Amino acid sequence: VVAVVDTGFRPHAGLAGRFIQGYDFITDPTIANDGDGRDADASDPGDWVTLADKDGPLRGQDCSVANSSWHGTAVSGVIGANGNDHAWTAGIDWSARILPVRVLGKCGGRFSDIIDGVAWAAGLPVPGAPTNATPAQVINMSLGDDSSSPCGAAEQSVFDAALAHGVTRAIVVSAGNDSDDVANHVPANCTGVIPVGATTSTGNIAGYSNFGPTLTISAPGGQYPQFDGIYALSDSSKTVPAGDAVAIYDGTSFSAPMVSGVVSLMLSVAPNLTADQVRSILTSSAKPFVPLSTCSTSLCGAGIVNA
């Protein structure tokens, strides 16, 4: 089971049979954009932001006018889109079960909701939420704070508890897209997580990717719009859901699920691996950076993830 702590999911044909029962942890109905707060429906109604939103319910929030991202569906597809179906895309582990944990909506999300979502994904009790019957062996967090701050005590406590609980063996986090040291950004700077940077198709560091000595590993993230993006599952609409589509994305958001998918494959073969063993195998088996690459082990982690 791979938990995708994100915007929720769309029932895309390319992910048919992959999703299991998740949960919506967004407290604020304005952010949720689905008419209510927390509930058992983790589907993604769209997270578009209009000028009217910015002048009204989202006044003062740090976000821009934007189309719906369908981000959780795209991340889920990188992890586990069905293979050999002559359609759409293939994920890294097309037998993975995807646990959608909705924590992001219009203008992003609150760390309090994200923390509860991670705890629930790992099988820990969360007040007001039902027990998670299928706790995740892998938790993917393609999210982060653009501002510079240390890992908070609340975040660190939940990550520690999730890994100590015994089911979750990896919490994989996107490094961030700020062209900055990953040590400055939550949650990628928290202890115990696996932060992932982004490389281009030539093996160079992507221009936006965070970097630094605390980065664990890198994976392809693209450098769109230079025709070097990641093709991922999406919806055809710019606002409310309309139908299945594929779109080109880029960012460390799409590097992280490549690593999550690889960890899922590892645990399918060796389900008793510990969190420390997972990290060790990932880094020791990574593809070395090519000569003259802008990446190095002090910038981009141990190498490029190698399934």
Side-chain angles (χ1 to χ4, degrees):
V1 176
V2 183
V4 177
V5 181
D6 214 295
T7 67
F9 76 100
R10 296 307 311 159
H12 197 294
L15 283 159
R18 300 275 65 79
F19 289 115
I20 54 179
Q21 180 63 51
Y23 204 80
D24 178 358
F25 278 95
I26 302 177
T27 305
D28 186 337
T30 299
I31 297 174
N33 197 33
D34 61 0
D36 56 27
R38 294 185 174 186
D39 59 35
D41 181 5
S43 63
D44 184 353
D47 56 2
W48 77 97
V49 175
T50 66
L51 188 58
D53 289 328
K54 287 180 62 63
D55 291 339
L58 296 177
R59 180 183 294 274
Q61 300 298 310
D62 185 19
C63 58
S64 304
V65 172
N67 296 330
S68 288
S69 66
W70 313 115
H71 195 270
T73 300
V75 168
S76 297
V78 172
I79 294 168
N82 292 319
N84 202 33
D85 57 359
H86 306 283
W88 309 109
T89 68
I92 304 294
D93 178 2
W94 52 82
S95 291
R97 292 185 291 165
I98 307 296
L99 179 70
V101 182
R102 187 167 186 251
V103 298
L104 303 176
K106 282 181 179 280
C107 210
R110 297 174 175 172
F111 266 118
S112 55
D113 292 342
I114 294 167
I115 289 169
D116 280 353
V118 171
W120 186 83
L124 300 171
V126 175
T131 300
N132 178 6
T134 52
Q137 284 74 32
V138 186
I139 297 175
N140 187 91
M141 300 179 69
S142 288
L143 53 82
D145 192 348
D146 291 338
S147 61
S148 178
S149 61
C151 180
E155 291 91 339
Q156 190 63 64
S157 177
V158 166
F159 294 147
D160 291 345
L163 292 169
H165 187 57
V167 177
T168 302
R169 256 62 66 76
I171 301 172
V172 182
V173 181
S174 56
N177 304 328
D178 311 293
S179 302
D180 190 21
D181 193 322
V182 69
N184 295 329
H185 298 276
V186 181
N189 60 0
C190 295
T191 302
V193 304
I194 297 173
V196 183
T199 53
T200 68
S201 61
T202 58
N204 290 315
I205 186 170
Y208 53 79
S209 180
N210 286 352
F211 52 82
T214 59
L215 199 64
T216 301
I217 199 166
S218 287
Q223 190 70 66
Y224 185 73
Q226 286 80 25
F227 306 102
D228 192 30
I230 306 300
Y231 283 75
L233 303 182
S234 187
D235 190 274
S236 60
S237 173
K238 296 179 179 180
T239 53
V240 297
D244 295 347
V246 171
I248 302 175
Y249 293 83
D250 73 320
T252 58
S253 281
F254 302 95
S255 307
M258 294 192 185
V259 174
S260 291
V262 171
V263 175
S264 175
L265 289 174
M266 291 162 59
L267 292 171
S268 296
V269 174
N272 294 322
L273 289 173
T274 66
D276 286 343
Q277 287 172 323
V278 166
R279 183 186 297 270
S280 176
I281 293 169
L282 271 180
T283 55
S284 64
S285 66
K287 178 182 178 179
F289 301 116
V290 298
L292 304 181
S293 167
T294 54
C295 268
S296 67
T297 54
S298 62
L299 285 178
C300 305
I304 299 173
V305 68
N306 186 350

